[in-house]
Amino acid sequence: LDSDEGFRTPFKGAMSAPISNNNIKLVIDLHGAGSSWPWDLDLGTGNGCSGGNQEDCSLVTDYGMTLPNKVIDIMNHWGIPDVNWPAVEFSGMVSDTVIHYVSQTLGVDALQFEIHRDWRQCANSADSLDQERSVKMIKALTEIIRDVNQYYAPQDDEIPGPMIGDCSGDGVLNVS
């Protein structure tokens, strides 16, 4: 949808209204990484500055830890051990990325997840380990979304569950 080729693309422009109209506080930009990378998840935070508050590059939450540390804890809980943060390859803060646009232009916190291919294989894979990894990734992403919603959502609002894709056709986990 978004090639990251240009700061003002139709995709980025189309994000503005739903983010502001729905009081969205965090955008998680999901990407798939190839099988040659040495990590399970590369966590892009724009070198720590993808928080919407441009004066504070810490992404500190009321949990008493940074948002990236919370993500790492949850990933580790689900058996996803190798989270690369701070991300070097995919920091997410070059000017063309979604998280740069969202955090720096819209003032909304943002994270970029580069998910290794081994954690996105599923139904069409003959390897049951691939399917098990995909389920763990789905559960980790679900927990992250629910946990982060607890932090960002007002206490009296009902917190919606995440919308997560499926393992359709091509055998690769599609998350939306």
Side-chain angles (χ1 to χ4, degrees), residues 30-43 75 80 82 90 113-121 130 133-134 137 172-173:
L30 299 176
H31 292 252
S35 59
S36 63
W37 293 102
W39 33 255
D40 300 324
L41 175 76
D42 193 55
L43 180 54
M75 289 290 174
I80 303 165
D82 193 2
F90 302 105
F113 289 9
E114 294 283 344
I115 302 170
H116 192 281
R117 184 168 181 84
D118 288 350
W119 292 92
R120 296 179 291 114
Q121 302 293 330
D130 287 344
R133 284 188 195 132
S134 295
M137 181 58 73
V172 176
L173 176 64

Side-chain angles (χ1 to χ4, degrees), residues 45-93:
T45 61
N47 303 317
C49 291
S50 63
N53 177 355
Q54 295 175 21
E55 303 299 316
D56 177 14
C57 287
S58 63
L59 283 170
V60 173
T61 69
D62 286 344
Y63 301 118
M65 64 172 60
T66 65
L67 209 52
N69 285 329
K70 187 65 175 172
V71 168
I72 292 167
D73 283 353
I74 292 170
M75 289 290 174
N76 289 335
H77 169 79
W78 287 104
I80 303 165
D82 193 2
V83 179
N84 186 39
W85 179 72
V88 176
E89 292 88 0
F90 302 105
S91 75
M93 211 51 171

Side-chain angles (χ1 to χ4, degrees), residues 111-171:
L111 298 172
Q112 179 173 305
F113 289 9
E114 294 283 344
I115 302 170
H116 192 281
R117 184 168 181 84
D118 288 350
W119 292 92
R120 296 179 291 114
Q121 302 293 330
C122 53
N124 291 341
S125 175
D127 187 348
S128 63
L129 181 59
D130 287 344
Q131 294 173 20
E132 181 181 324
R133 284 188 195 132
S134 295
V135 169
K136 286 181 179 181
M137 181 58 73
I138 291 169
K139 288 180 177 182
L141 292 171
T142 300
E143 184 175 337
I144 289 165
I145 292 166
R146 286 190 177 135
D147 203 59
V148 167
N149 272 341
Q150 295 289 336
Y151 169 68
Y152 284 104
Q155 297 299 338
D156 57 347
D157 283 357
E158 182 177 326
I159 298 167
M163 294 175 53
I164 295 185
D166 61 5
C167 298
S168 60
D170 59 4

